[in-house]
Amino acid sequence: MALASFAGSASAQSLLEKIKNGETIRVGFSNEVPWAYPGENNEPLGFVNAMTTDMLKKLGTTKVEPVVTEWGSLIPGLQAGRFDIITGGMYILPERCRNVLFTDPIVKATDALIVPAGNPENLHSYQDVHDKSLTFVTGAGYSEIALMRKLGVPDDKIMQVAGPAEILQAVKSGRAAAGSGAYFTMKEFTDKDESVALVPAGNNYYSGLAFLPNQQAEVDAFNAVLKDYIGSDEMMGSVGKYGYTKANLPDGKTTAELCEH
């Protein structure tokens, strides 16, 4: 009887209690360098995972289990209980706020286009892609899909693929005239591959860690840690190797504002 009671108590632990008790926390992310990606031994790498690991340690645990999935499966995976926190660097957008709770912003980033080297279509914005009726590629579930639809780009001109590697391949093969994703990721591609070029798109986005809608206590706990951690020497030491600089620090925009507009 006592054993049954103990088991019931353990299973009822909240995520915050698990963290404080030093238990293993599963972090979910897609393979997107340098935001969040698995290492050779499946260790969680990338600046969002580095920040998450630091904050989890402050809250009580050093045990982290990475769960890699496709970008479009991150919110469904969280809802299905396949992992505990989304650490993929998900932009805080109103449509996502209806399904998850975001922490305060942890990074400000812009998005960017990648085009073939030499920019043969002379593209400098999303509007240019629309005006020239060109095929555009981005990831399934990415915010750029709604952006292009809002500009009037028909769905048959918006190629949706699994992730960043497929975006790059679509542009390199000529199946799409331009691709888009987070600036960090697109720049990583163009730094390593001379066959593509970077075109900054100039839209600012803010990312946070994402939790289930009933985990306000967990979000509050992470936000409390963030107050001293964000921009600290400790944080910059953890994220600098991934290209995160002080220019990427949040600028005061709040999650409530981002969820509203």
Side-chain angles (χ1 to χ4, degrees):
M1 188 69 176
L3 180 61
S5 175
F6 174 79
S9 174
S11 64
Q13 276 193 120
S14 69
L15 175 60
L16 185 56
E17 288 170 333
K18 288 176 63 179
I19 295 169
K20 289 182 175 179
N21 289 334
E23 296 186 21
T24 300
I25 303 303
R26 300 163 301 165
V27 296
F29 54 90
S30 60
N31 187 351
E32 186 147 352
V33 180
W35 295 76
Y37 59 99
E40 291 183 359
N41 298 311
N42 201 38
E43 66 273 29
L45 301 179
F47 64 81
V48 181
N49 278 330
M51 296 172 72
T52 304
T53 301
D54 283 349
M55 289 189 282
L56 282 170
K57 184 177 181 181
K58 293 178 182 298
L59 288 168
T61 189
T62 58
K63 299 176 183 175
V64 176
E65 176 185 336
V67 181
V68 183
T69 187
E70 292 185 355
W71 180 267
S73 298
L74 284 173
I75 290 179
L78 180 71
Q79 294 169 332
R82 291 197 288 274
F83 39 83
D84 302 306
I85 309 172
I86 297 175
T87 62
M90 189 167 275
Y91 292 159
I92 303 171
L93 300 173
E95 58 271 26
R96 291 175 180 158
C97 295
R98 291 192 282 272
N99 295 299
V100 297
L101 282 182
F102 283 103
T103 62
D104 290 339
I106 58 173
V107 58
K108 179 184 72 176
T110 60
D111 52 0
L113 298 172
I114 56 168
V115 297
N119 196 0
E121 297 288 350
N122 195 28
L123 300 175
H124 299 284
S125 66
Y126 294 107
Q127 188 68 48
D128 287 346
V129 179
H130 166 264
D131 293 345
K132 297 185 179 186
S133 298
L134 298 171
T135 297
F136 169 84
V137 61
T138 192
Y142 281 26
S143 57
E144 285 81 3
I145 297 169
L147 188 154
M148 295 303 275
R149 286 173 174 162
K150 190 174 181 180
L151 288 176
V153 177
D155 281 354
D156 65 356
K157 292 289 186 181
I158 303 174
M159 183 187 302
Q160 297 185 43
V161 295
E166 290 78 12
I167 293 173
L168 175 63
Q169 287 307 314
V171 173
K172 290 183 65 170
S173 67
R175 291 184 291 123
S180 182
Y183 178 86
F184 283 109
T185 307
M186 299 300 107
K187 187 175 185 304
E188 179 87 7
F189 285 153
T190 56
D191 284 347
K192 295 180 177 178
D193 190 333
E194 294 181 351
S195 70
V196 289
L198 187 72
V199 178
N203 297 308
N204 282 335
Y205 292 97
Y206 301 81
S207 299
L209 305 181
F211 294 79
L212 288 171
N214 64 352
Q215 292 178 325
Q216 186 64 56
E218 285 76 4
V219 171
D220 290 345
F222 274 79
N223 284 343
V225 172
L226 271 172
K227 289 187 184 303
D228 291 327
Y229 177 73
I230 195 81
S232 65
D233 290 344
E234 177 190 7
M235 174 190 145
M236 299 312 295
S238 294
V239 301
K241 61 185 175 184
Y242 297 111
Y244 187 122
T245 70
K246 291 199 171 183
N248 303 118
L249 288 169
D251 56 8
K253 185 76 77 174
T254 69
T255 296
E257 292 170 334
L258 295 165
C259 285
E260 186 175 351
H261 300 290

